[in-house]
Amino acid sequence: MTLRTIESLGSLAGKRVIVRCDLNVPLKDGVITDDGRIRASLPTINELIHAGARVVVVSHLGRPDGAPDAKYTLAAVAQRLCELLGKPVTFAQDTVGTGAHEAVDALQDGDVALLENLRFNAGETSKKDEEREAFAKRLAVFGDAFISDGFGVVHRKQASVYELAKLLPSAAGLLIATELDVLDRLTEKPAKPYAVVLGGSKVSDKLGVIAHLLPRVDSLLIGGGMMFTFLAALGHQVGSSLLEKDQIDTVRGYLDEARARGVEIVLPTDVVVASKFGADAEHQVRPVDSIESSPWGSSGLGLDIGPDTAARFAEVIRASETVFWNGPMGVFELAPFAAGTRTVAEALTAVNGLSVVGGGDSAAAVRTLGFHDEQFGHISTGGGASLEFLEGKRLPGLEVLGWQ
Ligand code: ADP
Ligand code: MG
């Protein structure tokens, strides 16, 4: 791990420093519903303020179509950033236009400006190298140095993540350093026993992670929608539950590999089966070998792990020194199917070693179920980025900062 650090840039007093953050927070009717990503960006911004730098924060929000769109303005984020920093933040009405130039030119040492949404410009995410380079050049004029701290986007080869880092003296910020430190502990010599808990909707999203982590873990616990592909691989009927038929053979291969390596794959023994997808659905707990014996037969839907399974998962988790969890155990958004996810989250809070929650929906799940970030060792701000890291992939936004 050889990421360039902020210190490597020398004194930043009086210098204009562009900081790429991931301030892509969820909004409902223009109101921020979870400011976790803004809070996670504060350490680096505060450090730069204290160093006397002129801080130019840039970020994307949502997926606008490469042009200004009022729905995706960062105005509410600027307001929240200002409250959290306890000092004024100048909000520029555009990203590289006159508004941005005026905002940056007016900065004094220790001041902060936030430029409008990077993705209001097609060059940010363009597939064409030269278009990304051209946009990065227009951003680079605002800085004497660049700090990359948007961990959630380091797996993306985008102008403000990759090309910009090549145009200015650049380094990784404190959030990226923290995230990598944790991910490193999950891949290089993790404290044992090591359990990985996977759930969520699609097994095909997580195959790379299973393949890369299987040689490193002691137990792999499978819940969520992906459990049904595993259960089908063992010959069970799964009703109308989520099933990826084309992945059954791959999953069988993992079961064989796990057996050969002495890794325990812990699969559900009971499932909450529902009459339909909805908070008002009728439901009952069924053993996994009789999912279709419910009153709804082959139209029954498995929407959560059952209580016996949840208890067994909790036992394995609590007995582990390192736990990585990605993907809710059931449809936690609907109250009757949140119990499995709640039990697993509770067990993670009781881990003595390192407990890590990764994945956007998993982080949202623990927060909406009333847990606090401090109860876990770490909640990753980057779902896709952390998964790609755990798959052993090269991440362009890290490589450009000297990582190998
Ligand atoms: P993350 O964002 O944490 O990586 P995913 O995106 O993979 O997680 O999956 C999250 C979604 O999986 C949630 O919206 C949840 O409702 C859904 N899910 C979990 N269990 C099931 C299930 N048994 N059937 C259908 N969907 C499920
Ligand atoms: Mg998700």
Side-chain angles (χ1 to χ4, degrees), residues 257-321:
E257 187 188 336
R259 207 171 300 121
R261 289 183 182 277
V263 171
E264 184 191 21
I265 293 196
V266 188
L267 291 175
T269 49
D270 58 350
V271 174
V272 181
V273 179
S275 59
K276 59 170 187 171
F277 194 96
D280 59 343
E282 290 179 69
H283 51 90
Q284 47 173 244
V285 175
R286 305 289 316 174
V288 291
D289 58 6
S290 59
I291 290 175
E292 294 198 351
S293 312
S294 80
W296 314 292
S298 62
S299 64
L301 284 172
L303 296 184
D304 195 10
I305 55 174
D308 287 354
T309 303
R312 170 91 181 103
F313 280 17
E315 201 180 316
V316 176
I317 291 167
R318 279 197 300 263
S320 300
E321 288 282 323

Side-chain angles (χ1 to χ4, degrees), residues 55 69 77 85-86 97 131 143 155 191 205 211 219 224 277 290 319 336 364 366 373 380:
V55 188
D69 180 344
V77 170
L85 287 172
E131 288 182 9
H155 58 316
D205 287 348
S219 325
F277 194 96
S290 59
V366 299
D373 291 19
S380 179

Side-chain angles (χ1 to χ4, degrees), residues 93-142:
Q93 308 286 329
D94 55 44
T95 324
V96 287
T98 46
H101 280 273
E102 277 168 23
V104 175
D105 288 347
L107 288 176
Q108 301 295 311
D109 296 358
D111 283 353
V112 180
L114 172 66
L115 307 187
E116 184 54 288
N117 196 338
L118 288 160
R119 293 188 185 168
F120 284 1
N121 305 269
E124 170 67 359
T125 58
S126 172
K127 297 245 181 307
K128 297 195 180 123
D129 293 355
E130 60 277 15
E131 288 182 9
R132 290 197 312 276
E133 277 158 25
F135 179 56
K137 279 187 186 145
R138 297 184 68 189
L139 286 169
V141 299
F142 296 131

Side-chain angles (χ1 to χ4, degrees), residues 27-358:
L27 290 169
K28 199 169 182 191
D29 305 324
V31 178
I32 297 167
T33 54
D34 176 4
D35 64 2
R37 283 183 165 163
I38 305 177
R39 285 185 281 117
S41 304
L42 298 176
T44 297
I45 297 173
N46 273 319
E47 174 148 327
L48 293 171
I49 292 170
H50 291 137
R54 304 176 177 202
V55 188
V56 182
V57 180
V58 295
S59 174
H60 72 289
L61 178 74
R63 293 180 181 228
D65 217 4
D69 180 344
K71 211 171 118 201
Y72 298 106
T73 175
L74 280 167
V77 170
Q79 176 63 34
R80 189 83 190 100
L81 181 61
C82 164
E83 289 160 17
L84 291 168
L85 287 172
K87 66 178 280 143
V89 171
T90 312
F91 179 57
Q93 308 286 329
D94 55 44
T95 324
V96 287
T98 46
H101 280 273
E102 277 168 23
V104 175
D105 288 347
L107 288 176
Q108 301 295 311
D109 296 358
D111 283 353
V112 180
L114 172 66
L115 307 187
E116 184 54 288
N117 196 338
L118 288 160
R119 293 188 185 168
F120 284 1
N121 305 269
E124 170 67 359
T125 58
S126 172
K127 297 245 181 307
K128 297 195 180 123
D129 293 355
E130 60 277 15
E131 288 182 9
R132 290 197 312 276
E133 277 158 25
F135 179 56
K137 279 187 186 145
R138 297 184 68 189
L139 286 169
V141 299
F142 296 131
D144 304 305
F146 172 66
I147 291 176
S148 181
D149 210 25
F151 179 70
V153 286
V154 290
H155 58 316
R156 306 277 188 217
K157 201 169 182 180
Q158 296 178 344
S160 68
V161 180
Y162 186 77
E163 279 79 11
L164 183 56
K166 292 186 162 185
L167 293 172
L168 293 172
S170 58
L174 302 174
L175 175 61
I176 286 192
T178 305
E179 293 273 7
L180 282 189
D181 187 51
V182 170
L183 287 171
D184 211 39
R185 288 167 68 190
L186 295 177
T187 43
E188 303 299 320
K189 303 203 177 62
K192 300 263 189 167
Y194 180 13
V196 168
V197 190
L198 294 179
S201 43
K202 288 167 74 185
V203 69
S204 47
D205 287 348
K206 317 273 160 101
L207 291 174
V209 176
I210 299 177
H212 196 67
L213 291 183
L214 209 51
R216 294 169 165 79
V217 305
D218 300 294
S219 325
L220 183 59
L221 287 57
I222 306 284
M226 63 191 275
M227 67 177 150
F228 299 103
T229 305
F230 279 83
L231 293 175
L234 294 176
H236 296 302
Q237 305 290 328
V238 299
S240 299
S241 309
L242 268 190
L243 172 64
E244 286 175 86
K245 282 208 177 98
D246 54 342
Q247 303 299 345
I248 291 179
D249 282 342
T250 311
V251 160
R252 239 182 234 131
Y254 290 138
L255 289 168
D256 292 342
E257 187 188 336
R259 207 171 300 121
R261 289 183 182 277
V263 171
E264 184 191 21
I265 293 196
V266 188
L267 291 175
T269 49
D270 58 350
V271 174
V272 181
V273 179
S275 59
K276 59 170 187 171
F277 194 96
D280 59 343
E282 290 179 69
H283 51 90
Q284 47 173 244
V285 175
R286 305 289 316 174
V288 291
D289 58 6
S290 59
I291 290 175
E292 294 198 351
S293 312
S294 80
W296 314 292
S298 62
S299 64
L301 284 172
L303 296 184
D304 195 10
I305 55 174
D308 287 354
T309 303
R312 170 91 181 103
F313 280 17
E315 201 180 316
V316 176
I317 291 167
R318 279 197 300 263
S320 300
E321 288 282 323
T322 308
V323 182
F324 171 65
W325 173 31
N326 173 279
M329 294 293 100
V331 183
F332 72 94
E333 298 94 334
L334 307 176
F337 311 108
T341 302
R342 184 178 289 110
T343 301
V344 160
E346 237 155 41
L348 256 88
T349 66
V351 169
N352 278 320
L354 174 67
S355 61
V356 180
V357 183

